[in-house]
Amino acid sequence: MAMNAFLLVLYAVAGVAYAVQFARRTFGSSRAATVLLVLAAFAHTFVIGMETMRVGHVPFSSATSAILMFVWLLALSYLYVELTTGERAMGVFILPLLVALQAIPAFSTVNEPRSTILESPWFGVHVSSLLFAYASFALAGVLGITYVLQFKEIKAKDLGFFYDRLPSLNTLDEMNLRAVKIGWLFLTFGLITGGIWASQLPSAGSAAASMSLADPKIFIAVLCWAVYSFELYVQRIGWRGRRAAWFSAVGFGIVLLNFVAVSYFFTTSHNF
Amino acid sequence: MQLLLVGVSHRTAPIELRERLDFSARGVDRALSALAGTGAQHEATIVSTCNRVELYVGCDEPENTRAAIEQFLAEFHDIPGDQLAPHIYTKTGQEAVAHLFRVAAGLDSLVMGEPQILGQVKDAFGVASQLGSTGPLLNRLFHSAFAAGKRVRTETALSEGAVSVSYAAVELARKIFGNLKGRTVLVLGAGEMGKLTALHMQAQGIGRLIITSRTAAHATALAESIGGTAILWDSMTSGLVEADILITATGASAPIISGALISQTMKARRQRPLFIIDIAVPRDVEADAGDLEQVFLYNIDDLQAVVQENISKRGTEAFDAEKIIAQEVGKFIGWLNSRSAVPTIVALRQRFESVRQSELRRLEPKLSSLPPEARARVEEVTRLIMEKLLINPTEQLKAISDADTVATYSDALNRLFGLANDETEEGSLTTAGAPRSTKKRGQ
């Protein structure tokens, strides 16, 4: 779809700008990077608005359109964090993710199915909470990776590339924890609403039959919930810093696996 | 007017001599007044820090002024002239400009990229301009120097990275904890190094400073002098539980803090990060403490390695900084050269105006019969014609930044419009366009 390819180009350009500002660290290059990403997010909002008008509902009922929504949410969440904290260093990690994910809708056709079971309001709440949770986990995962990179440099007494460019370990740790907390709340909410929605479906329907833990998508989502619950629990007894960072990075790996791989290859009914 | 620099710096003179030459002891303002008394120059600014004493002056005859300033320096500070002379450097024109710009950027500092110098140059200029000892040349020169210094600061990393052990420790602490506000620092040992690092930490607004020493009286004395709490040596462990940053600087001959002790306290601390700065020689903290998760252990050698690394980074940044300086010097010299066209522009205007006035006077008998509005109109129209004719040559002359071209153009204008005699014979014209002698004015 031409619109999605156009968005891909916009995100790719912004990604290059973030790489340049990460290397150069000048005022002008930082400003340019943010402006380009804001433009891309703005165009993305427009595309989603158009799509909503065309199909008559918010488009997230297929795996591909859900990814389109997710990229948009992640771009907005990242911009929110950047504009409120003034920290741009994570952009160089987030942008490649946005570009890679946006490539999926850009190179495939989006057909937005609308079976009657998807018309329940619970479905909308369920999907949007989960997409938002995943965006938070993506941020947490990137924060975790940057934490580990910087932690290694400081521990090894080899203060180099990342040391000069990333915010303090404490800042990264706190931002990571906050992102996980927000993500966990939305994940919990999304799972509960999903459960309610499934229970309201006509029990004879074949779709409802697959809504159990045996569905790989549901199973991995619950696994994610367990991982993040554990991370939040053990941080109280001092598992902060590098351990929390690893949890966030691994957790997001699982999320990504669920969101992209499982949606396309392993599940037939629950493909969003 | 020409720019002249006469100075002494850490590159040419030993500290003993620089101390004696430092103007700040007796007041830069007094020195400037005394210098003005010599009448050797039109404009002057004195930059006086512990590493350099430099006099920037605008004068007509650099050779004589240099001698006068050297004499002034010797007399003002009561140093025999022959003792002083071998340490003095003088620069004129572009070299002097480049020197000031490099100084302002920190490129000529003892510690490359050291940030205070820009403020010191600003202060020096502030004092001079308040006393009225600066003029158009030095005003422009110093403001350009501030701009050059600022560009180097923002566009290169010349001033980045700590270049002292204490500051390297502070920078690391900030990279681990972010803001140091509200953090607790524990200092072991009441010696000079521990004190210095603690003072650097305090400047970052830490919450609490705890000091302990084997000799309780030393700890109490240090705590009183720099503002902290002294605790007994035996209650060190409780201090360790509280602290975010531990600075060890005792004179003990063997390590006093074992990895096991830190491991124990980490449990009580709920694994909050602990940054240990071991600046004692021999070391106070066993190396295996650094293997613990969330413990960051840096000893004096580690910190010195960081400092060395930063110094070599600054060296590579200096290359970019020099390029910026060269650009800014070019801009300033361009302005300086275009300024040499100003007398010609003024003379040209005066020539046009005197022609206009004399023509108006010549026509006076005919104009007097006109009503006042019409006379005013004649006055205005003639003035506008003159202004319009002058706009283009004025702009063209001002835009030239190359000294030779300015001289050629000025010479041509002098000949074509007979400007050379104009200033002295102003008002003596009776008819416009009369043939005039074209004497070349000495430059």
Side-chain angles (χ1 to χ4, degrees):
Chain A
M1 185 177 161
M3 282 296 216
N4 287 327
F6 175 61
L7 289 180
L8 176 66
V9 171
L10 286 182
Y11 281 118
V13 170
V16 171
Y18 270 90
V20 169
Q21 76 88 21
F22 193 69
R24 285 211 196 139
R25 292 179 293 162
T26 57
F27 180 76
S29 60
S30 310
R31 234 356 219 288
T34 305
V35 168
L36 285 169
L37 183 57
V38 168
L39 276 178
F42 197 74
H44 201 154
T45 311
F46 181 74
V47 168
I48 286 178
M50 293 288 281
E51 188 67 7
T52 307
M53 290 206 286
R54 192 177 67 82
V55 299
H57 58 90
V58 183
F60 46 44
S61 308
S62 76
T64 309
S65 55
I67 286 172
L68 189 65
M69 283 296 283
F70 173 74
V71 170
W72 179 67
L73 272 174
L74 182 54
L76 289 185
S77 311
Y78 168 73
L79 276 173
Y80 172 77
V81 172
E82 182 187 303
L83 296 175
T84 51
T85 63
E87 294 291 356
R88 272 192 187 82
M90 265 69 68
V92 77
F93 299 91
I94 291 285
L95 264 293
L97 185 65
L98 292 179
V99 172
L101 287 173
Q102 181 62 30
I104 298 172
F107 293 116
S108 59
T109 48
V110 181
N111 67 29
E112 180 74 13
R114 198 63 175 172
S115 66
T116 48
I117 63 160
L118 301 181
E119 268 163 19
S120 158
W122 290 112
F123 170 74
V125 175
H126 164 69
V127 175
S128 46
S129 321
L130 286 182
L131 286 177
F132 194 72
Y134 292 169
S136 297
F137 291 143
L139 285 175
V142 165
L143 287 161
I145 291 166
T146 52
Y147 183 99
V148 172
L149 289 172
Q150 168 137 290
F151 182 93
K152 274 192 178 156
E153 287 196 344
I154 294 180
K155 268 281 194 186
K157 295 162 190 173
D158 177 23
L159 311 178
F161 191 71
F162 294 109
Y163 179 84
D164 287 342
R165 288 168 173 78
L166 295 176
S168 72
L169 286 181
N170 184 55
T171 309
L172 290 171
D173 188 36
E174 280 180 355
M175 283 167 80
N176 172 26
L177 196 66
R178 201 177 315 153
V180 170
K181 276 180 183 162
I182 293 170
W184 184 87
L185 280 176
F186 279 93
L187 177 62
T188 310
F189 189 66
L191 288 176
I192 292 170
T193 49
I196 295 172
W197 170 56
S199 71
Q200 285 180 348
L201 293 174
S203 54
S206 60
S210 66
M211 302 288 173
S212 72
L213 268 182
D215 180 278
K217 187 137 200 176
I218 297 175
F219 175 76
I220 296 180
V222 172
L223 178 73
C224 281
W225 187 86
V227 169
Y228 286 113
S229 303
F230 187 72
E231 177 180 346
L232 285 178
Y233 178 73
V234 292
Q235 61 93 8
R236 292 159 179 273
I237 58 161
W239 283 37
R240 294 280 298 259
R242 187 165 60 158
R243 286 178 180 141
W246 273 119
F247 270 113
S248 292
V250 170
F252 180 60
I254 303 173
V255 165
L256 214 52
L257 176 84
N258 201 18
F259 191 56
V260 181
V262 174
S263 291
Y264 278 98
F265 302 115
F266 295 108
T267 181
T268 46
S269 62
H270 202 163
N271 59 350
F272 32 78
Chain B
M1 189 155 45
Q2 300 208 32
L3 178 65
L4 169 71
L5 153 67
V6 178
V8 161
S9 79
H10 62 94
R11 293 191 195 279
T12 62
I15 178 80
E16 297 78 22
L17 186 64
R18 298 200 311 268
E19 272 168 4
R20 289 177 66 186
L21 282 169
D22 191 356
F23 281 101
S24 49
R26 288 171 59 196
V28 173
D29 43 353
R30 276 186 53 198
L32 279 169
S33 318
L35 186 61
T38 67
Q41 76 290 323
H42 303 296
E43 303 181 22
T45 298
I46 299 179
V47 177
S48 178
T49 73
C50 49
N51 285 325
R52 71 182 65 248
V53 171
E54 288 176 344
L55 289 84
Y56 292 86
V57 301
C59 59
D60 289 330
E61 289 164 347
E63 215 21 66
N64 297 342
T65 312
R66 185 188 63 83
I69 288 176
E70 275 189 38
Q71 197 188 344
F72 163 78
L73 276 173
E75 280 170 10
F76 191 84
H77 295 292
D78 203 13
I79 301 169
D82 53 343
Q83 243 185 54
L84 193 59
H87 302 287
I88 287 184
Y89 48 81
T90 43
K91 291 174 197 291
T92 53
Q94 183 158 354
E95 277 185 26
V97 176
H99 183 85
L100 176 63
F101 286 14
R102 293 186 76 249
V103 167
L107 280 165
D108 196 51
S109 296
L110 193 59
V111 176
M112 168 96 71
E114 171 263 318
Q116 276 105 344
I117 186 68
L118 184 57
Q120 288 167 333
V121 173
K122 277 185 181 166
D123 292 344
F125 174 73
V127 170
S129 89
Q130 234 171 16
L131 280 173
S133 79
T134 61
L137 178 65
L138 289 190
N139 284 343
R140 179 79 178 210
L141 174 72
F142 275 81
H143 282 114
S144 306
F146 304 153
K150 204 175 162 211
R151 263 195 75 192
V152 168
R153 188 77 52 84
T154 50
E155 293 175 28
T156 72
L158 187 71
S159 301
E160 275 178 31
V163 287
S164 76
V165 165
S166 321
Y167 204 73
V170 169
E171 219 175 64
L172 267 162
R174 288 168 51 118
K175 214 62 200 187
I176 294 168
F177 297 109
N179 202 330
L180 295 188
K181 285 200 174 65
R183 299 285 172 181
T184 301
V185 176
L186 171 64
V187 180
L188 256 59
E192 211 34 52
M193 269 307 269
K195 178 183 165 183
L196 197 64
T197 313
L199 281 172
H200 272 294
M201 294 285 175
Q202 261 183 337
Q204 300 292 318
I206 54 163
R208 206 156 111 79
L209 178 65
I210 309 172
I211 299 166
T212 184
S213 167
R214 270 198 217 279
T215 319
H218 291 169
T220 318
L222 181 57
E224 270 168 19
S225 79
I226 64 173
T229 327
I231 61 167
L232 288 175
W233 186 256
D234 294 334
S235 42
M236 189 214 303
T237 321
S238 71
L240 269 177
V241 172
E242 264 187 76
D244 298 296
I245 298 167
L246 167 66
I247 301 168
T248 63
T250 75
S253 55
I256 47 174
I257 292 183
S258 65
L261 174 66
I262 297 292
S263 174
Q264 266 172 34
T265 47
M266 283 311 279
K267 282 199 193 94
R269 302 162 49 81
R270 295 184 141 218
Q271 305 292 327
R272 271 184 304 122
L274 176 66
F275 178 32
I276 306 177
I277 305 156
D278 184 1
I279 45 182
V281 179
R283 288 174 292 171
D284 278 341
V285 184
E286 281 179 1
D288 62 348
D291 299 337
L292 294 163
E293 183 82 28
Q294 297 298 319
V295 175
F296 304 91
L297 170 62
Y298 274 70
N299 64 35
I300 187 92
D301 282 0
D302 302 331
L303 291 172
Q304 242 139 24
V306 171
V307 167
Q308 278 311 315
E309 177 76 8
N310 286 343
I311 288 173
S312 66
K313 268 190 215 160
R314 285 188 179 194
T316 54
E317 291 297 322
F319 185 72
D320 292 339
E322 296 284 5
K323 276 196 269 183
I324 293 174
I325 296 294
Q327 282 172 15
E328 293 292 318
V329 169
K331 271 194 226 164
F332 181 79
I333 294 296
W335 172 80
L336 203 60
N337 288 338
S338 71
R339 231 177 73 93
S340 61
V342 169
T344 308
I345 294 169
V346 171
L348 192 63
R349 281 195 78 85
Q350 279 172 351
R351 176 96 178 101
F352 274 44
E353 179 64 18
S354 67
V355 168
R356 187 174 79 93
Q357 291 299 342
S358 68
E359 284 305 293
L360 285 174
R361 267 199 305 276
R362 198 169 60 83
L363 292 171
E364 179 63 25
K366 289 177 185 166
L367 292 174
S368 59
S369 60
L370 293 173
E373 304 93 56
R375 289 194 58 166
R377 186 58 55 86
V378 170
E379 165 79 28
E380 194 192 339
V381 168
T382 53
R383 195 179 52 76
L384 281 176
I385 290 173
M386 183 190 90
E387 295 288 351
K388 286 243 163 90
L389 284 171
L390 278 170
I391 284 177
N392 205 35
T394 305
E395 281 178 357
Q396 290 293 328
L397 269 175
K398 279 188 179 165
I400 304 167
S401 59
D402 158 53
D404 287 342
T405 318
V406 171
T408 313
Y409 275 53
S410 299
D411 195 40
L413 283 167
N414 285 343
R415 282 165 188 267
L416 291 172
F417 290 94
L419 301 179
N421 304 328
D422 212 48
E423 279 162 300
T424 47
E425 295 171 22
E426 197 183 355
S428 69
L429 290 168
T430 47
T431 48
R436 298 179 58 83
S437 65
T438 51
K439 265 184 280 174
K440 192 181 169 191
R441 189 162 54 160
Q443 289 288 57

